[in-house]
């Protein structure tokens, strides 16, 4: 009886898996910082109409090139100043966050679905399926992403939908490589063989036995590709082949401000810093989630 009471007391003192997960999350400073910064950026993008009274498309040539609030000659009605057409820079920055987040999210989703399906199929079935997928991966790796994206966008025309589709169809290779390698490591482990022995279907084995043990790698790749897509969109917009004006885009804002870079450096510094902070937050989020969800760290 004494031993039973001690066992119950020990169980009560042992933290639950949820408590262990919360402790691990809040103990990972990079993950907390990434979540906080990304949440702030998402909130700013969602509530942009409430945070600024200005229309990001409205032009006012009488108020063009107003400096931001920390510089002499600033206008209190335009905290971050105005661009060469008199458009409020804060409004364009906030609405531009929507463009970057949407492109990163949907491009990573499209490429993730394609690459994950190919990588899981290659890793689990092997044989000819693996040979075909490996060949496709090699073909994709031989294609320079930026040059192919530039050519396709130049042919089809620059728009938000075209940029998302092009990036989604070009960034799946890392998903395929990582998922193929991850599935190869777990497909012959004891719990997978046990599921086969009791007659589980292939779909159930993949979804219930394999995917939960490789999802941490998928999360990391998804965040990396989301950040990669955001940077590629900014590069395409900077070159004039991405999101077309007057749509607010951080890459387009940098492109429009480059002519005044030596005289008004804040025109490219503001969207450049915003782009840097967003990509940094996404990378920290992915790195932290990998550490927290790694199988060896699960409580």
């Amino acid at each position: 009886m004494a031993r039973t009471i001690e066992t119950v007391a020990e169980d009560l003192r042992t933290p639950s898996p949820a408590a262990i997960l919360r402790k691990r999350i809040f103990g990972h400073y990079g993950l907390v910082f990434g979540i906080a910064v990304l949440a702030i950026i998402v909130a700013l993008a969602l509530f942009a109409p409430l945070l600024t009274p200005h229309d990001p498309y409205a032009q006012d040539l009488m108020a063009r090139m107003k400096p931001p609030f920390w510089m002499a000659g600033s206008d209190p009605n335009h905290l971050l100043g105005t661009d060469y057409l008199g458009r409020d820079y804060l409004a364009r920055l906030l609405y531009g966050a929507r463009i970057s987040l949407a492109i990163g999210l949907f491009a990573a989703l499209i490429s993730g679905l394609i690459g994950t399906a190919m990588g899981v199929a290659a890793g689990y079935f092997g044989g000819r399926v693996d040979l075909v997928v490996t060949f496709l991966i090699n073909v994709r790796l031989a294609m320079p992403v930026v040059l192919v994206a530039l050519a396709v966008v130049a042919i089809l025309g620059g728009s938000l939908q075209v940029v998302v589709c092009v990036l989604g169809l070009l960034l799946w290779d890392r998903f395929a490589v990582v998922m193929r390698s991850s599935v190869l490591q777990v497909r012959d482990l004891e719990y997978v063989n046990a599921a086969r022995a009791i007659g589980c279907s292939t779909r159930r084995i993949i979804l219930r036995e394999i995917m939960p043990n490789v999802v941490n790698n998928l999360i990391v790749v998804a965040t990396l590709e989301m950040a990669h897509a955001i940077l590629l969109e900014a590069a395409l917009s900077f070159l004039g082949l991405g999101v077309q004006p007057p749509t607010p885009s951080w890459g387009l804002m940098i492109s429009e401000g480059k002519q005044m870079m030596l005289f008004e450096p804040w025109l490219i510094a503001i969207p450049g810093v915003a782009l840097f902070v967003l990509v940094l937050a996404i990378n920290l989020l992915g790195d932290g989630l990998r550490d927290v969800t790694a199988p060896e760290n699960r409580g």
Side-chain angles (χ1 to χ4, degrees):
M1 180 62 70
R3 182 174 301 174
T4 303
I5 294 175
E6 292 177 356
T7 303
V8 173
E10 182 65 25
D11 292 339
L12 292 175
R13 289 194 298 267
T14 303
S16 64
I20 295 174
L21 180 61
R22 285 195 300 270
K23 181 179 179 181
R24 193 180 304 126
I25 290 175
F26 289 104
H28 197 293
Y29 298 113
L31 176 59
V32 173
F33 179 80
I35 292 175
V37 174
L38 187 59
I40 292 173
I41 294 175
V42 172
L44 292 174
L46 291 177
F47 298 106
L50 302 177
L51 298 175
T52 175
H54 299 285
D55 185 343
Y57 301 98
Q59 301 179 15
D60 183 4
L61 297 180
M62 299 299 294
R64 56 192 300 269
M65 300 303 294
K66 294 284 186 180
F69 67 91
W70 64 82
M71 298 179 63
S74 61
D75 185 345
N77 294 323
H78 302 282
L79 292 179
L80 293 184
T82 58
D83 63 5
Y84 71 105
L85 292 176
R87 296 172 296 191
D88 184 74
Y89 227 52
L90 177 60
R92 291 187 64 79
L93 190 73
L94 294 178
Y95 283 90
R98 294 182 174 185
I99 301 297
S100 294
L101 290 171
I103 288 178
L105 179 62
F106 288 109
L109 180 62
I110 294 172
S111 59
L113 291 175
I114 297 172
T116 300
M118 294 176 63
V120 171
Y124 184 79
F125 295 106
R128 294 182 178 179
V129 176
D130 189 21
L131 289 176
V132 172
V133 172
T134 303
F135 173 76
L136 293 176
I137 293 173
N138 290 331
V139 171
R140 162 58 198 87
L141 292 175
M143 301 166 57
V145 177
V146 176
L147 293 181
V148 173
L150 285 173
V152 174
V153 172
I155 294 172
L156 299 179
S159 69
L160 182 61
Q161 294 79 8
V162 171
V163 171
V164 169
C165 292
V166 169
L167 295 181
L169 294 174
L170 286 176
L171 299 180
W172 55 264
D173 55 288
R174 191 175 299 178
F175 285 97
V177 171
V178 172
M179 294 308 296
R180 174 183 176 275
S181 176
S182 301
V183 173
L184 281 173
Q185 295 175 9
V186 302
R187 69 176 184 178
D188 293 323
L189 295 181
E190 290 79 2
Y191 60 88
V192 178
N193 291 328
R196 293 196 189 98
I198 63 176
C200 292
S201 64
T202 300
R203 185 179 69 174
R204 180 181 177 86
I205 293 174
I206 292 175
L207 296 180
R208 299 293 297 273
E209 305 296 336
I210 293 179
M211 289 304 296
N213 291 282
V214 299
V215 70
N216 60 307
N217 296 326
L218 179 61
I219 292 172
V220 177
V221 178
T223 54
L224 289 175
E225 292 306 320
M226 182 176 178
H228 191 192
I230 291 173
L231 289 175
L232 283 176
E233 180 275 327
L236 292 174
S237 297
F238 178 83
L239 296 174
L241 295 174
V243 177
Q244 296 299 300
T247 304
S249 165
W250 291 350
L252 187 59
M253 292 171 67
I254 296 174
S255 177
E256 292 172 343
K258 69 178 184 296
Q259 295 180 354
M260 299 293 293
M261 179 175 60
L262 298 178
F263 307 99
E264 305 290 351
W266 54 270
L267 286 172
I268 63 173
I270 292 176
V273 170
L275 190 63
F276 163 76
V277 172
L278 176 58
V279 173
L280 176 64
I282 294 174
N283 285 333
L284 289 176
L285 174 64
D287 184 65
L289 288 176
R290 178 191 61 81
D291 295 338
V292 169
T293 60
E296 63 270 16
N297 293 331
R298 295 174 185 170

